[in-house]
Amino acid sequence: MSDTSPKTSRRHFLRGAGIGAAFVLGGCKELSQRPWVQDTLISAEQLTKRVQRLFAGSQALAPEFAKADIASSFRANGTTMPATNDYQAHAAGGFKDWRVEVTGLVDRKLSLSLADLRKFPSRTQITRHDCVEGWSCIGEWTGAPLKLVLAAARPKANAHYVAFRCADPMDDLDGDGIPESSFYYESLDLVEATHPQTLLAYQLNGAPLPVANGAPVRLRAERQLGYKQAKYVRRIELVERFEDIGGKGGYWENQGYNWWGGI
Ligand SMILES: Nc1nc2c(c(=O)[nH]1)N[C@H]1C(S)=C(S)[C@@H](COP(=O)(O)O)O[C@H]1N2
Ligand SMILES: [Mo]
């Protein structure tokens, strides 16, 4: 999806949601007759969110593809090698000491190794990644459903958002003591975070994640645009409000992208 103007977003969305919506509505015709769908005063962001949540259903699945559709090489974008000594030492050691922390508003904080993540029942899905820069790529992801990981941490009743803290600094800094606010981050609400296709993915096309695509663990939230798919995840933090995450809820959101990155 290369254009986020209201008309284009809506058209893209309605096309993309057709498969999921069909099961719930018995077709898209009914959808287009809903008066509010015609209401161009509703922002594209609100519209796509409302369509996905109320009509496609909050748990509707993103389209999945066949093995034959998988791209021969999955394109990489943004950071392709985090520029810290710490990350590069982990990479050199095969990430054997990597931990994904689960913190914030939980009853039980977690510190998960890759072996721990592999103990969760895994899910494998072939999906299309859509970057707002105008390219798409189909790949097969395997990982732990985030819902199961969150359940293990027992979120408190006031936990409403899930932030993903990544290992790549976006400011031109190196050395130790880089402030956490300099690193890539993203966030989802609990509906997206607990969606069945939302994974902490550790494999791409049956092999461990390449560094360029977010090794050793990245987020896959398949109803969301590319920038929401946080790579190099090292901490997951449950919070009550947006202000607790910092900025506008994500690195690209702070540069003007919508927080709601629904496709
Ligand atoms: N940590 C981190 N996550 C990130 C990015 C990044 O630069 N750093 N770029 C985002 C963007 S804009 C896209 S399109 C996808 C690219 O994922 P890929 O490199 O596997 O194609 O990752 C997203 N997640
Ligand atoms: Mo992107």
Side-chain angles (χ1 to χ4, degrees):
M1 198 170 136
S2 58
D3 184 337
T4 52
S5 72
K7 238 176 113 187
T8 313
S9 295
R10 186 179 128 192
R11 194 173 58 235
H12 273 267
F13 171 72
L14 291 175
R15 195 172 60 213
I19 296 169
F23 294 110
V24 179
L25 297 169
C28 286
K29 194 158 166 275
E30 187 183 344
L31 183 67
S32 63
Q33 284 163 357
R34 302 279 167 174
W36 58 262
V37 173
Q38 318 287 345
D39 184 356
T40 51
L41 294 175
I42 299 173
S43 75
E45 187 174 8
Q46 284 305 314
L47 180 61
T48 52
K49 187 169 176 179
R50 286 175 62 182
V51 170
Q52 282 191 355
R53 290 287 164 79
L54 299 179
F55 289 84
S58 68
Q59 298 289 291
L61 297 180
E64 295 194 11
F65 297 83
K67 288 257 188 205
D69 301 320
I70 295 173
S72 53
S73 133
F74 197 91
R75 184 168 166 172
N77 197 37
T79 302
T80 51
M81 170 56 93
T84 66
N85 294 334
D86 184 57
Y87 179 86
Q88 290 175 13
H90 278 289
F95 299 105
K96 63 182 181 320
D97 298 323
W98 191 267
R99 290 285 183 285
V100 177
E101 314 285 337
V102 185
T103 66
L105 298 173
V106 293
D107 282 339
R108 202 166 140 230
K109 289 187 169 43
L110 303 176
S111 175
L112 302 168
S113 66
L114 294 173
D116 293 332
L117 279 175
R118 285 195 205 93
K119 283 181 203 145
F120 288 94
S122 71
R123 188 178 204 281
T124 294
Q125 57 201 24
I126 301 173
T127 53
R128 195 188 61 218
H129 175 107
D130 293 318
C131 173
V132 290
E133 290 168 16
W135 57 273
S136 302
C137 210
I138 293 177
E140 182 187 65
W141 304 96
T142 300
L146 182 60
K147 180 180 186 162
L148 301 181
V149 176
L150 294 180
R154 295 203 291 267
K156 293 182 187 298
N158 59 343
H160 298 314
Y161 294 94
V162 186
F164 303 87
R165 304 283 183 182
C166 305
D168 51 327
M170 303 306 284
D171 298 328
D172 194 13
L173 299 168
D174 53 26
D176 296 325
I178 301 173
E180 189 170 54
S181 59
S182 296
F183 289 83
Y184 198 96
Y185 73 107
E186 254 306 333
S187 58
L188 298 176
D189 65 19
L190 278 186
V191 173
E192 286 309 301
T194 60
H195 183 271
Q197 289 168 314
T198 300
L199 308 181
L200 290 176
Y202 43 75
Q203 277 182 23
L204 171 59
N205 300 336
L209 275 193
V211 165
N213 302 107
V217 182
R218 79 167 311 162
L219 178 68
R220 290 304 308 172
E222 302 296 355
R223 302 191 302 183
Q224 300 280 314
L225 289 164
Y227 60 91
K228 304 295 287 190
Q229 319 294 329
K231 306 196 280 190
Y232 318 111
V233 172
R234 63 175 182 188
R235 193 157 68 81
I236 296 170
E237 184 184 355
L238 284 97
V239 296
E240 181 167 6
R241 297 165 313 150
F242 251 77
E243 301 85 88
D244 307 333
I245 298 169
K248 293 181 177 149
Y251 172 77
W252 279 111
E253 285 83 338
N254 294 340
Q255 332 295 317
Y257 288 8
N258 286 339
W259 179 81
W260 175 253
I263 293 170

